[in-house]
Amino acid sequence: MNKHNLIEKAYQTNDLSKGEIIFLFESITPEEREDLFSKAMQTKQAYYGNKVYLRGLIEFSNICRQDCLYCGIRASNTKVKRYRLIPEEILACCDKGYELGYRTFVLQSGEDLWYTEEILSALIQQIKRRYDAEVAVTLSIGERDVETYQKLFASGADRFLMRHETASQELYGKLHPTMSFEDRRAYLNALKGIGFQVGAGFMVGLPGQTPIDLAEDLHYLKKLHPDMIGIGPFIPHSETPLGSEKGGTINDTLVMVALARLLIPDSLIPATTALGTLHPLGREMALKAGANVVMPIITPTSVRKQYALYENKICGDDHPEDCRYCIERRIQTVGLEVDLGRGDSWQFLSNA
Ligand code: SAH
């Protein structure tokens, strides 16, 4: 089939076979890419209009018990200066974020068990009670047992981000010596069942990853039907075993973002910081390829650079207010508008 027809098919039916995805991904021309991005953008407009949702991202601890081969804060990296924000410091970040207009706080960290269920529950409850307008709390803290997830949801957490990382079982196994492919998927299903708005997603350009794996990622996501889908390029970090590998490319990542928009049209898709790191306009390009969320960092400037999942991460010297307005300008330059509401997913709103 002609590739423009394939893109049209994806646009009309929100469906492509794995073979069709692989064919498109491997042979897409710059002109066909523009067609793909424009159809993805139209699909995003149909569900979410001109709006781009902002989330204030608080990277509250870089201490991690896991040892993912790609990640700069893996347990084995002894060169990282570790930090942990105490609940009062996290609340101060939320105050700053609230003042800047954010109504979603994303609490992200390595897998740091210092934050017990009790500490996290108390923190979530405090955030939910603290402000006049309603705010949403998103957790991105990795794997805990299902009972803990239930308690955190009961304490008021609204959303949970946990990328599936890759849908290839073999590749997942190689990259995650301390984790299990089946567990990761079981946790994602459990989080959904508990009632969280769930975010899954994957990296593009992982060493050994094939177009077949990427097609599988999209099919897995279509089946899981998460509320949010995070897709970013793999960026090597020199203090990891993958330090001298090649990273993902901007074009491959954008094609995956656009295909995710066409295949799972009602999802929230962030223009990721990793894309902004790979190219100065990477996030704008993602917004023009179907993304509709940006997560500006509100982590205190004093510890930002220590949350280095990959190197040269942008905004390391910036302050929360710099990021807030920088992002707004970037969104406006591509003709879109900031929406400071909670920004719930379509799926969530239609089930409510
Ligand atoms: N511990 C949490 C948060 C992980 S960090 C969890 O397990 O969910 C957030 C995401 O950063 C990861 O899911 C991974 O997809 C991405 N990431 C980590 N290292 C990266 C790298 N070197 N390049 C690009 N993305 C990376």
Side-chain angles (χ1 to χ4, degrees):
M1 199 193 262
N2 165 307
K3 275 173 274 155
H4 284 295
N5 293 345
L6 272 185
I7 295 166
E8 183 64 24
K9 178 185 167 193
Y11 177 58
Q12 296 294 343
T13 67
N14 307 121
D15 207 7
L16 286 180
S17 71
K18 279 186 220 166
E20 289 168 331
I21 295 170
I22 294 165
F23 174 58
L24 200 54
F25 179 78
E26 286 186 320
S27 64
I28 196 162
T29 63
E31 189 231 326
E32 289 157 352
R33 219 167 17 231
E34 288 315 309
D35 181 26
L36 174 70
F37 294 169
S38 127
K39 295 279 182 354
M41 178 93 169
Q42 286 172 50
T43 302
K44 190 270 300 175
Q45 293 288 121
Y47 282 82
Y48 292 101
N50 236 11
K51 305 281 198 273
V52 177
Y53 303 117
L54 298 190
R55 327 294 200 190
L57 175 64
I58 306 170
E59 300 149 324
F60 65 91
S61 165
N62 69 353
I63 296 173
C64 192
R65 63 178 169 144
Q66 306 292 6
D67 217 17
C68 311
L69 259 56
Y70 45 81
C71 185
I73 63 166
R74 64 200 300 266
S76 299
N77 184 2
T78 52
K79 302 235 170 108
V80 187
K81 198 169 149 209
R82 304 283 171 173
Y83 72 91
R84 182 181 273 149
L85 302 184
I86 58 169
E88 288 68 27
E89 293 171 308
I90 299 173
L91 287 169
C93 292
C94 293
D95 287 346
K96 181 79 209 169
Y98 190 85
E99 209 180 286
L100 291 171
Y102 300 121
R103 295 296 177 264
T104 292
F105 300 115
V106 180
L107 307 184
Q108 191 179 84
S109 67
E111 288 198 17
D112 182 356
L113 299 181
W114 181 87
Y115 301 89
T116 57
E117 183 186 301
E118 291 71 27
I119 292 180
L120 288 170
S121 289
L123 176 64
I124 294 161
Q125 285 167 6
Q126 285 183 73
I127 297 173
K128 296 291 286 191
R129 282 202 221 105
R130 202 169 173 90
Y131 305 106
D132 298 333
E134 210 213 335
V135 300
V137 172
T138 304
L139 300 175
S140 177
I141 59 172
E143 298 182 10
R144 300 280 177 122
D145 52 50
V146 173
E147 295 70 46
T148 301
Y149 289 149
Q150 280 161 340
K151 297 249 174 61
L152 299 176
F153 184 72
S155 301
D158 300 272
R159 309 182 184 137
F160 203 105
L161 305 182
M162 186 158 78
R163 292 186 178 174
H164 67 281
E165 309 296 1
T166 170
S168 156
Q169 179 154 18
E170 193 194 338
L171 184 59
Y172 189 97
K174 286 189 189 146
L175 296 173
H176 304 97
T178 53
M179 285 152 71
S180 123
F181 180 77
E182 288 88 1
D183 286 355
R184 191 80 169 176
R185 292 183 162 212
Y187 283 132
L188 279 164
N189 290 331
L191 289 163
K192 236 187 146 200
I194 290 168
F196 282 104
Q197 291 181 62
V198 169
F202 59 98
M203 281 172 281
V204 178
L206 288 163
Q209 189 181 44
T210 65
I212 306 172
D213 299 335
L214 292 168
E216 187 61 42
D217 281 311
L218 292 174
H219 271 218
Y220 168 70
L221 288 168
K222 188 158 174 60
K223 188 144 175 269
L224 178 69
H225 195 190
D227 300 273
M228 295 158 285
I229 297 177
I231 300 174
F234 158 63
I235 303 177
H237 186 298
S238 60
E239 295 298 332
T240 65
L242 305 181
S244 47
E245 299 285 343
K246 274 214 220 63
T249 67
I250 190 101
N251 278 333
D252 285 354
T253 310
L254 292 171
V255 166
M256 284 295 131
V257 166
L259 285 172
R261 170 58 67 202
L262 292 177
L263 298 186
I264 308 102
D266 61 356
S267 54
L268 293 161
I269 302 183
T272 53
T273 308
L275 264 171
T277 299
L278 208 56
H279 187 288
L281 298 176
R283 287 170 299 176
E284 288 86 332
M285 293 182 205
L287 292 173
K288 290 202 274 184
N292 67 330
V293 172
V294 183
M295 297 170 40
I297 301 171
I298 53 176
T299 309
T301 313
S302 56
V303 295
R304 273 181 186 217
K305 286 195 175 137
Q306 287 156 253
Y307 198 80
L309 309 178
Y310 43 83
E311 280 156 327
N312 305 313
K313 191 162 144 243
I314 48 174
C315 314
D317 291 316
D318 293 343
H319 294 270
E321 51 277 22
D322 302 328
C323 293
R324 166 71 180 78
Y325 298 105
C326 165
I327 288 293
E328 176 146 8
R329 280 193 301 277
R330 287 171 185 269
I331 290 168
Q332 288 167 347
T333 55
V334 292
L336 299 171
E337 278 165 46
V338 163
D339 185 317
L340 284 167
R342 272 173 50 114
D344 289 302
S345 76
W346 225 78
Q347 179 174 203
F348 175 83
L349 294 172
S350 42
N351 291 337

